[in-house]
């Protein structure tokens, strides 16, 4: 089924992409243990979804600053060196989280600060890896490469949270952070074997803040790039109530850490199933229209998740949403990378990184605040509805994205 299954030719024929891909997959597996451990630890200490959302909000400025700095640095310094340095620092922050979780008297402030520092350096390294892909694979393999990235990402999203739930219940929180530290070490070692990726552009001598500003000015003048970002922000801010997962697992479903792990893993399970059959996406002609339609389906799935208080129904809704997100992500990444010029690639990727990872954190705050003043159920349902309305408004505001076709 060549038109259905994901195209693995970038892995089969490209050693550099294999190294980059393997390192990212391993680090993602560890990071998704921490994705569950941090909000669970915050909720266990505060018993508040609002605090879970605030913990995520605290990470946001670190993440955005790191992403912008990494993007600007990636267009002027060897990307390989930057990825190695950031990987080592991320490993050390995970060691710190493990020590804090293992001591008898857990410190919430230490947890929040280390999580924020980790978010900052994750933001720094993310655009470097994204911007490296078009340099490693030919244009006709970009869809395949980003589809494979989705396979890696969602494999980690499925395995990591499920394992985290078991580890928290049986071993302890510290084990999640300790394993995360080890995976960063392995990922950094694989990055070491990549070929150098030095900057080749004239703006390499431009002042750092001017280079960052040039990236934002490029986005402001590019309607398609704006739409790519805003479509994702709309879905993540309104339609991703992950800050409420601890409350849903412990109060609505009357479960424990294992149930929480399943909630975090369910979107990834649906996404993984979709990711392995993304071969057809490369043949989609009206790419912008399909992005809008799958985001609408995402919002509807989330609204249903908030309405029905049955575990298996909730997991199915989250799985469907995850499948829709894969289609959106692959198409948005392809649209973005084919619409921009090469000299801005790292900086545009850094803004994309800030959007992709910052949107869910804003969503954590939005859902936590709404739940705090209304209810967990109302927050989830209203967010799904707002997601649908938002994408309809956006398509009317940016019709060039709606009519975007395959090049």
């Amino acid at each position: 089924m060549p038109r259905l299954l994901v195209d693995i030719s970038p892995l089969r024929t490209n050693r550099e992409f294999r190294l980059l891909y393997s390192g990212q997959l391993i680090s993602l597996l560890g990071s998704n243990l921490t994705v569950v451990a941090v909000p669970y630890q915050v909720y266990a200490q505060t018993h508040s979804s609002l605090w879970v959302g605030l913990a995520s909000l605290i990470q946001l400025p670190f993440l955005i600053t790191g992403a912008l700095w990494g993007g600007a640095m990636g267009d002027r310094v060897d990307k390989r060196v930057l990825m190695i340095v950031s990987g080592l620092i991320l490993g050390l922050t995970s060691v710190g989280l493990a020590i804090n979780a293992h001591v008898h008297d857990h410190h919430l402030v230490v947890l929040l600060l280390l999580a924020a520092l980790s978010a900052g350096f994750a933001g720094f390294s993310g655009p470097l890896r994204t911007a490296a892909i078009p340099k490693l694979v030919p244009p006709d393999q970009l869809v395949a490469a980003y589809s494979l990235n989705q396979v890696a990402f969602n494999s980690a999203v499925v395995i990591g949270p499920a394992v985290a739930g078991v580890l928290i219940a049986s071993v302890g929180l510290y084990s999640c952070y300790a394993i995360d530290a080890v995976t960063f070490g392995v990922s950094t070692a694989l990055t070491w074997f990549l070929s150098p990726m030095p900057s080749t552009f004239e703006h390499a001598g431009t002042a750092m803040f001017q280079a960052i500003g040039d990236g934002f000015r490029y986005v402001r003048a590019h309607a398609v790039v704006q739409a790519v970002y805003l479509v994702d922000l709309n879905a993540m801010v309104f339609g991703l109530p992950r800050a409420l997962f601890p409350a849903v697992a412990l109060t609505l479903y009357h479960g424990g850490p294992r149930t929480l792990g399943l909630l975090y893993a369910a979107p990834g399970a649906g996404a993984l199933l979709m990711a392995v059959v993304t071969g057809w996406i490369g043949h989609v002609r009206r790419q912008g229209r399909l992005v809008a339609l799958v985001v609408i389906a995402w919002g509807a799935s989330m609204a249903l998740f908030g309405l029905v208080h049955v575990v298996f129904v909730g997991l199915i809704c989250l799985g469907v949403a995850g499948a829709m997100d894969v289609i959106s992500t692959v198409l948005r990444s392809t649209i973005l990378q084919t619409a921009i010029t090469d000299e801005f690639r790292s900086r545009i990727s850094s803004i994309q990184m800030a959007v992709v990872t910052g949107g869910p954190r804003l969503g954590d705050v939005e859902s936590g605040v709404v739940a705090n003043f209304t209810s967990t159920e109302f927050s989830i349902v209203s967010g799904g509805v707002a997601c649908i309305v938002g994408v309809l408004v956006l398509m009317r505001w940016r019709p060039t994205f709606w009519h975007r076709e395959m090049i």
Side-chain angles (χ1 to χ4, degrees), residues 20 62 85 98 117 124 130 132 135 147 171 229 296-298 383 400:
L20 184 73
F62 289 83
V85 172
L117 184 62
F124 183 90
T130 301
K135 305 293 289 183
S147 296
V171 182
Y229 293 157
I296 290 172
W298 163 284
T400 52

Side-chain angles (χ1 to χ4, degrees), residues 167-225:
L167 288 174
I168 293 171
S170 59
V171 182
L173 277 164
Y174 74 93
S175 62
C176 295
Y177 302 129
I179 294 173
D180 192 16
V182 173
T183 61
F184 277 124
V186 175
S187 175
T188 302
L190 289 172
T191 305
W192 180 270
F193 292 102
L194 286 170
S195 300
M197 301 180 188
S199 170
T200 58
F201 302 116
E202 294 180 357
H203 66 257
T206 305
M208 183 68 72
F209 288 107
Q210 180 180 341
I212 294 173
D214 288 342
F216 278 102
R217 282 186 285 274
Y218 185 85
V219 171
R220 192 163 58 244
H222 206 303
V224 171
V225 175

Side-chain angles (χ1 to χ4, degrees), residues 54-115:
L54 290 174
S56 189
L57 179 64
I58 291 170
Q59 299 172 34
L60 182 58
F62 289 83
L63 188 150
I64 292 176
T65 301
L68 295 177
W69 203 258
M73 290 288 288
D75 281 335
R76 56 199 287 150
V77 180
D78 190 323
K79 295 180 181 65
R80 171 180 167 273
V81 173
L82 295 176
M83 286 189 284
I84 290 172
V85 172
S86 59
L88 291 173
I89 295 175
L90 283 165
L92 290 175
T93 60
S94 294
V95 170
L97 286 166
I99 294 172
N100 180 61
H102 193 54
V103 298
H104 178 69
D105 185 19
H106 305 312
H107 296 283
L108 181 62
V109 173
V110 174
L111 169 64
L112 297 178
L113 288 177
L114 286 174

